[in-house]
Amino acid sequence: MEPPGDRDAGANAPRRRAFHYNAGFLTNARVRRILTLAGYDLKLGKPDADDDVVVWGHSPYAPRGEAVAKATGAHLVRVEDAFLRSLFPGRSGEPPLGLVIDRQGIHFDASQPSDLEALLSTHPLDDTALLNRARDVMARMAEAHLSKYSASDPGLEPPAPGYVLLLDQTREDASIALGQATPDNFAEALTWAREDHPDAQIVIKTHPETQQGHRPGHFDPDTLPPNVILDDRPISLWRMFDHARAVYTVTSQGGFEAILAGHKPVTFGVPFYAGWGLTDDRRPTPARRQRHLTRAQLIAGALVLYPTWYDPHADALGEVEDVLGALEAQARSWREDRRGYVALGMRSWKKGHLRTAFGRHGQLDFEEDAARAGGDGRPVLVWAGRETEAIRQACADAPLYRVEDGFLRSRGLGAELIAPLSLVLDDLGIYYDPTRESRLEHLIAEAAALPVARLDRAERLIQSLRRAGLTKYNLPGDPAPPMPDDRPVILVPGQVEDDASIRLGAGDVNTNDELLRTARRLNPQAFVIYKPHPDVEAGLRSGALPEAAHGLADHIAQTTSAEALLAISDRVVTMTSAMGFEALIRGIPVTTLGAPFYAGWGLTSDLGPVPDRRTARPSLAALVHAALITYPRYMDPATGLPCAVEVAVARLVSGEGLAQKPALRGLAKLQGWFAGQSWIWRR
């Protein structure tokens, strides 16, 4: 939520009265909000000469405002959706994540200059930081399969490689006529595609609004020539680009995205991206467009500088990086969840946040019987620690996903019924079980080959976590006690001894007593601090240190916060604790006695039984990218929307939306009382 750029530019701009004559500016709350944040005070009535009149592009209602502006001398401003809009088209009720607010023309009208054309013509577009941002935008769009409308399925297979891709558009779209084209140019594009590539199959990609039945396209599937097919599936354009030998378009924004994917599209109209040396233009382009641009320069102008972006989590103007984060999270939610789930054996208090996390786009039902869950036909969710062989057999014919908390969880304990901000779904195993592969293991191995642009985001996240002092639970605590100057400080985090991560991954050292004894043996001269696990300290779980072992530690930090302890530690010795991962993030050396997910990759000193299959050697940034960016899914507690990790970090810092529900506070207290009585009885 703190990307580069001036987030407050709109707030600091002079306010302008903006008169409108289109009901959409009254009824579309998101459009009104973005314009207000950008400095426009929307009004009804008659403007003065120094006021603005806003119209929606070249919509059928735009002439009303155009006439008023001409009669009064007010300045005409055209507004349109930005090039990264939403999951679905606006006709589906989706609010936009950005607008273009053009005071000269509009980008799809080639008959006159626009703010975008002027920017591409005159802006230096040579700043290294700006161009690096543009390249990162391009990489993130490709990686997450993002487009203007991002409800696409990257899992769908394109036709056999080597086809020619022709991009259809909706009939009577304003960008066609104003892009100096006609409906006949679509037939012309098809003719030339067949002429230029006589041996290739031609694949016509249907526009998303045509696919959803909102507006017709230009091609009838029943009258197509031989070797020409229509693809109306919600397939990712990026996958289509990967397998296409050429791309043909009239004025579609898909042609712009084809440039981002490395193509030189053939254009039969004059879209905003034509005439800059990046397209094969079969129509004359405006003489105003004399400059030759690189892909990064085009992206910098069209996606970084031209639009007015909106951050839905901050309810503020943002940058393109905010929109990428929001769309990545929303698209992932739609792609993974739209077929629905059956959640098996979930505790009642978890059902609310499971619905928030996984029930936005598909039916989420709860079931107690494994056979009924497995026979439903939908994917099955089970809390990782409750998975059994019987459940695996019952779900043999259904995808089975293990659910667990993520590594940036909350401000408080799950045992105290604090809802998590992050959850993971693992289709292979679960991150704390080294006896089998997990999806996280695959992601870590893949992250070792990530390009620098992808790792830069992880580096920024690492710095944010260090500055904010965030850990998994972010519990309050006392400051660290004074430390000796002449002895290294070894932090030993205790764990819940019956936790699955200990049972499955701890190896020979599998109790807190043995952990502390081993840490002392390895570091006989050090100042050893033992930190009890918060759940154990709260009396909610097993793992209390025997009285006889207390003398092995120089200090038992019962009330000191984890962050305060990490800040003074020279090394962490652990079985499988997440605190080892948090230490790595802070640059602290870690010795592992078990096989936590972060062991075995060359970043830790491993004395436990690490799986041989962990052969990749990722950097710390790569490990963080896999564990904190790619693997978990985050929910914004303030808006209820899927969100990027940066939003979760901001919420953990501010506390916004994190208050526990009153009913759960009472239930947690009751649970704690019973746990305390049980502990007393066991003693």
Side-chain angles (χ1 to χ4, degrees):
M1 293 195 34
E2 296 297 336
D6 183 3
R7 296 174 58 90
D8 299 322
N12 296 331
R15 309 287 315 167
R16 297 190 62 85
R17 297 201 308 171
F19 290 79
H20 61 93
Y21 308 94
N22 182 338
F25 288 109
L26 282 174
T27 59
N28 193 313
R30 176 65 61 78
V31 169
R32 289 182 65 86
R33 181 59 176 156
I34 296 174
L35 288 169
T36 299
L37 290 168
Y40 292 88
D41 294 327
L42 293 175
K43 303 286 185 183
L44 295 172
K46 183 179 179 181
D48 294 331
D50 57 353
D51 290 326
D52 290 338
V53 170
V54 294
V55 298
W56 190 262
H58 281 273
S59 73
Y61 304 104
R64 299 175 186 171
E66 294 166 358
V68 173
K70 183 175 181 181
T72 62
H75 190 86
L76 186 67
V77 180
R78 297 191 191 273
V79 178
E80 264 285 354
D81 290 326
F83 301 124
L84 287 168
R85 187 195 185 280
S86 53
L87 274 185
F88 303 102
R91 292 171 182 265
S92 301
E94 285 273 300
L97 288 166
L99 300 174
V100 295
I101 305 171
D102 202 309
R103 301 186 65 83
Q104 291 190 66
I106 196 67
H107 60 85
F108 55 77
D109 182 0
S111 68
Q112 65 181 48
S114 67
D115 287 350
L116 176 57
E117 186 178 85
L119 192 157
L120 294 175
S121 297
T122 63
H123 193 288
L125 297 174
D126 60 357
D127 179 74
T128 300
L130 173 64
L131 296 179
N132 284 341
R133 286 180 66 193
R135 295 183 187 99
D136 187 52
V137 168
M138 180 167 52
R140 287 179 69 174
M141 287 179 64
E143 186 176 292
H145 298 267
L146 301 181
S147 184
K148 183 174 183 178
Y149 311 118
S150 294
S152 62
D153 184 354
L156 292 174
E157 288 293 332
Y163 55 82
V164 173
L165 180 62
L166 173 56
L167 302 169
D168 195 12
Q169 295 172 245
T170 57
R171 290 185 197 172
E172 300 182 357
D173 187 80
S175 72
I176 298 171
L178 293 171
Q180 301 179 0
T182 71
D184 292 340
N185 292 123
F186 289 87
E188 182 188 14
L190 177 57
T191 298
W192 275 108
R194 298 179 71 205
E195 181 76 17
D196 294 342
H197 304 274
D199 62 329
Q201 183 180 55
I202 311 298
V203 179
I204 300 172
K205 182 67 186 77
T206 302
H207 189 278
E209 289 196 29
T210 303
Q211 171 195 324
Q212 294 181 14
H214 298 309
R215 298 164 70 183
H218 291 87
F219 296 97
D220 182 349
D222 297 327
T223 61
L224 293 176
N227 212 29
V228 178
I229 63 171
L230 201 67
D231 194 326
D232 61 358
R233 299 173 298 162
I235 187 171
S236 163
L237 271 181
W238 293 91
R239 294 218 64 195
M240 298 289 282
F241 294 146
D242 283 345
H243 292 75
R245 69 163 68 169
V247 177
Y248 284 65
T249 182
V250 178
T251 62
S252 169
Q253 184 184 312
F256 169 59
E257 293 162 1
I259 294 172
L260 273 60
H263 284 276
K264 188 173 186 177
V266 183
T267 64
F268 289 83
V270 187
F272 73 88
Y273 50 85
W276 308 104
L278 295 166
T279 49
D280 177 357
D281 301 316
R282 304 293 172 92
R283 288 284 177 277
T285 56
R288 304 181 302 270
R289 303 182 187 179
Q290 295 292 323
R291 191 179 186 186
H292 276 215
L293 300 173
T294 65
R295 283 193 301 161
Q297 288 175 320
L298 179 65
I299 297 164
L303 290 175
V304 180
L305 299 177
Y306 180 51
T308 299
W309 295 114
Y310 174 75
D311 181 347
H313 303 284
D315 186 28
L317 296 187
E319 303 287 345
V320 65
E321 290 85 356
D322 295 306
V323 171
L324 288 171
L327 269 181
E328 285 165 348
Q330 292 178 24
R332 180 177 181 180
S333 173
W334 179 81
R335 291 164 186 168
E336 294 182 0
D337 302 344
R338 71 187 190 277
R339 296 178 182 86
Y341 298 103
V342 180
L344 177 61
M346 297 294 178
R347 293 177 179 173
S348 296
W349 80 273
K350 294 181 177 181
K351 292 181 179 179
H353 61 255
L354 288 171
R355 285 193 182 96
T356 299
F358 306 123
R360 292 180 60 82
H361 299 289
Q363 182 77 17
L364 173 63
D365 294 314
F366 295 93
E367 179 60 71
E368 297 300 321
D369 183 86
R372 283 199 298 268
D376 182 273
R378 288 176 289 169
V380 177
L381 306 180
V382 63
W383 204 261
R386 294 191 165 196
E387 181 190 9
T388 63
E389 181 59 35
I391 288 175
R392 285 192 287 272
Q393 291 181 6
C395 301
D397 297 325
L400 181 62
Y401 291 91
R402 298 110 190 129
V403 185
E404 255 295 349
D405 294 333
F407 306 118
L408 289 172
R409 187 194 183 279
S410 56
R411 279 189 175 188
L413 303 174
E416 293 181 342
L417 310 190
I418 304 293
L421 274 72
S422 63
L423 291 167
V424 302
L425 288 184
D426 201 309
D427 59 329
L428 298 177
I430 194 64
Y431 67 85
Y432 57 71
D433 181 2
T435 66
R436 54 179 170 169
E437 290 183 300
S438 70
R439 179 56 57 187
L440 179 55
E441 276 192 0
H442 283 240
L443 294 173
I444 293 171
E446 293 167 4
L450 282 175
V452 172
R454 305 270 47 76
L455 299 180
D456 284 346
R457 183 183 179 194
E459 292 283 5
R460 292 192 295 272
L461 177 59
I462 288 169
Q463 295 307 315
S464 295
L465 295 173
R466 288 178 177 178
R467 284 195 303 269
L470 293 180
T471 59
K472 183 173 183 178
Y473 297 112
N474 303 291
L475 298 167
D478 297 333
M483 292 292 111
D485 296 331
D486 58 344
R487 299 167 66 188
V489 176
I490 305 298
L491 177 59
V492 182
Q495 295 184 241
V496 176
E497 291 181 353
D498 61 357
D499 190 74
S501 70
I502 297 295
R503 290 187 287 103
L504 297 169
D508 293 336
V509 178
N510 53 34
T511 68
N512 290 322
D513 184 7
E514 293 168 330
L515 167 66
L516 184 54
R517 291 181 185 279
T518 303
R520 171 55 75 192
R521 178 175 57 79
L522 294 172
N523 302 275
Q525 305 304 317
F527 189 90
V528 175
I529 300 176
Y530 177 77
K531 170 63 177 170
H533 189 279
D535 282 348
V536 176
E537 205 168 7
L540 300 172
R541 302 286 296 277
S542 65
L545 194 67
E547 197 72 32
H550 283 211
L552 296 168
D554 295 284
H555 177 71
I556 295 182
Q558 291 181 316
T559 59
T560 309
S561 71
E563 174 57 24
L565 294 172
L566 287 168
I568 61 170
S569 297
D570 297 301
R571 177 174 290 274
V572 169
V573 177
T574 180
M575 292 183 285
T576 63
S577 172
M579 198 176 289
F581 178 51
E582 293 158 0
L584 289 177
I585 288 173
R586 289 154 178 80
I588 302 169
V590 176
T591 298
T592 65
L593 306 180
F597 73 88
Y598 51 85
W601 307 105
L603 298 170
T604 51
S605 298
D606 301 319
L607 303 182
V610 177
D612 293 337
R613 62 182 178 271
R614 298 182 184 178
T615 58
R617 288 297 175 260
S619 64
L620 174 62
L623 178 72
V624 168
H625 194 285
L628 294 182
I629 295 177
T630 314
Y631 189 47
R633 286 174 48 172
Y634 296 91
M635 294 79 67
D636 180 0
T639 65
L641 294 171
C643 68
V645 62
E646 291 84 358
V647 176
V649 168
R651 297 296 185 232
L652 288 172
V653 171
S654 70
E656 184 179 359
L658 297 180
Q660 190 180 30
K661 295 179 180 179
L664 290 182
R665 281 201 299 270
L667 183 58
K669 289 180 180 178
L670 186 61
Q671 176 176 285
W673 182 85
F674 278 117
Q677 296 302 306
S678 174
W679 180 77
I680 291 170
W681 179 257
R682 289 196 303 271
R683 291 189 70 190

